[in-house]
Amino acid sequence: MSRNQRKSLSGELVRSAIQHSFIKLNPRVMFRNPIMFVVEVGMIITFLLCIWPNAFGGESSRAFNIVTTIILFLTVLFANFAEALAEGRGKAQADSLKQTKKDVAARKLQSDGTVKNVPATDLRKGDIVIVDAGEMIPGDGEVISGLASVDESAITGESAPVIKEAGGDFSSVTGGTRVVSDSIKIRITTDPGESFLDRMISLVEGAKRQKTPNEIALNTVLISLTLIFLLVVVTLPVLSKYVHVSLEVPILIALLVCLIPTTIGGLLSAIGIAGMDRVTQFNVLAMSGKAVEAAGDINTIILDKTGTITFGNRMASDFVPVNGVSIADLAGWAALSSMADETPEGRSVLEYMKKQNLVYNAELAQGSQFIEFKAETRMSGTDLRDGRQVRKGAVDSVKKWVLANGGNVPSDLGSKSDEIARVGGTPLAVAVDNQIYGLIYLKDTVKPGMRERFEQLRAMGIKTIMCTGDNPLTAATIAKEAGVDDFIAESKPEDKIAVIRREQAEGKLVAMTGDGTNDAPALAQADVGLAMNTGTIAAKEAANMVDLDSNPTKIIEVVSIGKQLLMTRGALTTFSIANDIAKYFAIIPAMFMVAIPQMEALNIMRLGSPTSAILSALVFNAIIIPLLIPLAMKGVAYKPMSSSALLRRNLFVYGLGGVIVPFIGIKLIDLIVNLWV
């Protein structure tokens, strides 16, 4: 499911979409799209007129009727193709997921303690199974005993196995993944047909996608416009009699098709399906289209500090010497104590020295003995070949060790370690034998690029709030460094819910990321809850989105995709409605010019004849749909800016463009059609 694994618009996908375009011509299927259903009904009427030109009492041209029928048929077919193509991408993804969902045997633990082999489909919620290395996990569940490395590449697309263990936030496992090493005992948490993979398959299949509230509202507006224009066209023959103009049924159908918003009507479903598809491209599973749309309207984002804004590991950020020691001497001994230290803190000491261009004598460590960190001593270090002992660790522990070796504690050690602690850092003392050289300032480091990402959100008009269990001073330091708008220190689960409710009470939409059971209430309360796939079942059930890569910062991409979906729909709606202006100037003069010569003034495009004008407008109305399919699938490019700036750009590009392009297109088509007519 990674982006590299996803299928592009292959020939097979296009062929399948063409096939389904014809299948969708079934009136029962077309009725779900009222606008295109009206076009199909018009096509059927003109087709009947091809056989019986005088069926409705008129004297319509059989040749005109045939051409009109073909154009209307292509209009419906192009609209079906747009939807089928969007659905096809989802179905292709679903097919690959179904390969993962195979009938596997499960080793179910019986009540008497024995193990019985049963099909995975027989497992029910609450059953306990044992899965060893090399075996497939038979269903969604939680690890209740053991620790194992699990290959989740079938779900996430990432090849690196992840560690799953009982308890904590990494106990959730997904059916269809494989245990790589060790053995775990799992409690099944879903019944057949309700698993994460089952929901994933049904959600990525566009045909099963439910329309979102905004989409339903827009559809209602478009249907209303269609009904209004239908009434206008139906009453037009009666009114035209007063000016002694006889309007044939095919011309009235052509007028209706050009007046109703066929462009957006044909692309609306494809836009929604493609929006969901774009979310899955980022390995995010949206439980509904409503969640994607809501992401586009988000005003506030609640983010955890640890693991989201910061790395979650304490890293060296400074050397603080004591008692007149030079930074070079302190850094040298700190490096020697960390050369064999594979903890994140130990590696960060050497990385910080490289950044600061500090050097040390690595030869001193040759043949030395590394002293691992122990909870009892709270220190680690190195015993050198020459007998010297180097230690780093908690300040109190190092002080006791130095005093036990007959040394003294520097007078400024306490004040400098307290200063580091006050700003939220962790001081590690560095000593050699009976002398303390200074302190390593460790702090939870903000991830690179976070400040820029928060600036992007600010440009979108989105407020960021950091939640952390740290003390206010530490929280303020991290918040300032990361560039968030606000923070909540010493945060508890109920505090997160309180801030979400406070923002919602002000009429704002709120998004939140989380992975633990304690995050579940807040994820459920938020308008957009993004749970991590590595998180608990409770968190994933409460959220309306799941990030398969378990990257908490991906909420920023989700917001961008949501905004892109709303922009694409708005842009193409604007373009579609603006198109009608040119069609009015093409068809209406053509209908009345003979009886009302003054209507020639409206023929500003100087179209060749009434017949070519009507056909040109119909042809443009048909071909604009497939021309806009790539834009509907890819989405309008989104750049962070204010709502007013977005509206101006939308009106200028798609409003003005929607007026100009049809004038040019219809005129060019008329030049070709007029030669034939």
Side-chain angles (χ1 to χ4, degrees), residues 40 59 74 129 133 297 403 431 528 549:
E40 186 176 48
E59 297 180 359
L74 292 175
V129 297
D297 287 328
L403 290 173
V528 175
D549 295 331

Side-chain angles (χ1 to χ4, degrees), residues 303-377:
L303 297 143
D304 278 334
K305 184 205 76 164
T306 306
T308 302
I309 295 174
T310 65
F311 284 104
N313 294 322
R314 300 173 304 167
M315 294 181 158
S317 63
D318 199 4
F319 292 124
V320 182
V322 295
N323 200 30
V325 173
S326 68
I327 289 182
D329 286 344
L330 168 60
W333 292 118
L336 289 173
S337 69
S338 303
M339 284 186 65
D341 187 354
E342 290 302 319
T343 64
E345 292 89 345
R347 291 194 299 269
S348 73
V349 171
L350 300 180
E351 289 170 3
Y352 179 73
M353 290 193 66
K354 288 181 181 178
K355 291 179 182 177
Q356 300 299 316
N357 295 319
L358 294 169
V359 296
Y360 61 95
N361 187 1
E363 293 180 0
L364 287 175
Q366 292 179 359
S368 63
Q369 181 182 0
F370 175 65
I371 308 300
E372 293 186 6
F373 176 87
K374 293 182 179 179
E376 298 83 14
T377 62

Side-chain angles (χ1 to χ4, degrees), residues 14-313:
V14 172
R15 284 191 295 272
S16 176
I18 293 173
Q19 179 183 351
H20 282 84
S21 300
F22 286 92
I23 295 174
K24 287 175 178 287
L25 290 172
N26 186 330
R28 287 179 296 182
V29 177
M30 290 298 301
F31 191 74
R32 293 181 305 176
N33 188 339
I35 297 172
M36 300 316 298
F37 179 72
V38 169
V39 179
E40 186 176 48
V41 170
M43 178 195 73
I44 294 172
I45 293 173
T46 56
F47 174 73
L48 294 175
L49 288 171
C50 294
I51 304 172
W52 302 289
N54 302 323
F56 296 98
E59 297 180 359
S60 57
S61 165
R62 179 178 271 113
F64 180 83
N65 295 343
I66 292 172
V67 174
T68 303
T69 301
I70 294 172
I71 296 172
L72 294 182
F73 173 74
L74 292 175
T75 303
V76 176
L77 200 67
F78 289 152
N80 288 348
F81 177 75
E83 184 177 55
L85 193 62
E87 290 175 354
R89 290 173 66 171
K91 287 176 180 175
Q93 187 178 351
D95 289 341
S96 66
L97 289 172
K98 287 174 182 176
Q99 296 300 316
T100 304
K101 186 177 168 54
K102 300 174 182 177
D103 290 332
V104 297
R107 295 194 294 134
K108 179 182 175 183
L109 188 65
Q110 304 291 101
S111 56
D112 59 1
T114 61
V115 177
K116 180 182 179 182
N117 288 331
V118 300
T121 52
D122 290 351
L123 294 175
R124 296 294 183 271
K125 189 182 297 185
D127 288 344
I128 296 176
V129 297
I130 297 173
V131 187
D132 291 334
E135 295 179 347
M136 192 83 75
I137 294 175
D140 291 1
E142 288 187 319
V143 180
I144 58 174
S145 177
L147 178 149
S149 179
V150 178
D151 176 10
E152 295 187 326
S153 59
I155 303 296
T156 66
E158 299 299 328
S159 57
V162 294
I163 300 298
K164 298 289 183 177
E165 58 184 328
D169 294 342
F170 296 93
S171 60
S172 170
V173 291
T174 305
T177 57
R178 187 179 297 276
V179 173
V180 178
S181 66
D182 302 299
S183 176
I184 49 177
K185 189 182 293 183
I186 300 169
R187 179 185 291 112
I188 300 298
T189 56
T190 59
D191 289 326
E194 299 176 357
S195 71
F196 182 74
L197 196 58
D198 289 319
R199 284 184 294 152
M200 198 168 174
I201 291 170
S202 65
L203 285 166
V204 298
E205 289 183 311
K208 299 181 181 179
R209 183 188 66 93
Q210 292 185 342
K211 291 184 178 180
T212 63
N214 284 348
E215 191 174 349
I216 292 171
L218 179 57
N219 217 28
T220 303
V221 172
L222 298 178
I223 292 171
S224 300
L225 287 173
T226 302
L227 290 174
I228 290 170
F229 286 125
L230 182 60
L231 290 173
V232 170
V233 171
V234 168
T235 57
L236 197 57
V238 178
L239 298 175
S240 65
K241 287 182 179 179
Y242 287 97
V243 292
H244 308 290
V245 174
S246 177
L247 297 176
E248 301 296 335
V249 172
I251 293 177
L252 291 172
I253 291 173
L255 175 63
L256 176 62
V257 171
C258 287
L259 289 179
I260 62 178
T262 50
T263 305
I264 186 62
L267 296 172
L268 185 59
S269 182
I271 293 169
I273 296 171
M276 293 281 288
D277 185 68
R278 281 194 295 275
V279 173
T280 61
Q281 288 181 35
F282 282 89
N283 265 8
V284 174
L285 175 61
M287 301 305 180
S288 68
K290 183 179 179 180
V292 181
E293 276 194 354
D297 287 328
I298 286 299
N299 306 108
T300 305
I301 295 181
I302 311 294
L303 297 143
D304 278 334
K305 184 205 76 164
T306 306
T308 302
I309 295 174
T310 65
F311 284 104
N313 294 322

Side-chain angles (χ1 to χ4, degrees), residues 426-564:
T426 301
L428 289 184
V430 178
V432 181
D433 293 334
N434 61 357
Q435 180 184 355
I436 297 178
Y437 278 73
L439 301 165
I440 303 172
Y441 176 9
L442 297 179
K443 71 174 182 177
D444 194 357
T445 307
V446 174
K447 293 179 179 179
M450 290 306 298
R451 175 175 284 275
E452 290 75 16
R453 298 193 124 213
F454 291 139
E455 287 175 355
Q456 288 178 5
L457 289 172
R458 201 169 294 114
M460 297 179 194
I462 297 173
K463 178 182 179 182
T464 52
I465 300 177
M466 180 187 77
C467 289
T468 175
D470 291 334
N471 62 67
L473 192 57
T474 302
T477 303
I478 296 294
K480 183 178 180 181
E481 186 176 345
V484 294
D485 298 310
D486 199 0
F487 67 90
I488 300 173
E490 299 176 345
S491 173
K492 298 180 287 294
E494 52 267 30
D495 295 328
K496 295 178 182 178
I497 297 178
V499 70
I500 291 172
R501 287 175 176 167
R502 185 190 72 203
E503 294 290 317
Q504 289 173 334
E506 297 175 2
K508 299 176 181 177
L509 294 183
V510 182
M512 182 193 163
T513 62
D515 58 1
T517 300
N518 62 337
D519 291 325
L523 287 168
Q525 180 68 40
D527 299 284
V528 175
L530 180 64
M532 303 298 103
N533 190 42
T534 54
T536 61
I537 292 290
K540 290 192 280 189
E541 290 290 340
N544 49 24
M545 288 188 182
V546 177
D547 177 18
L548 303 178
D549 295 331
S550 299
N551 176 7
T553 62
K554 202 178 286 183
I555 188 68
I556 299 173
E557 277 79 17
V558 171
V559 169
S560 297
I561 292 170
K563 287 187 176 294
Q564 187 183 41

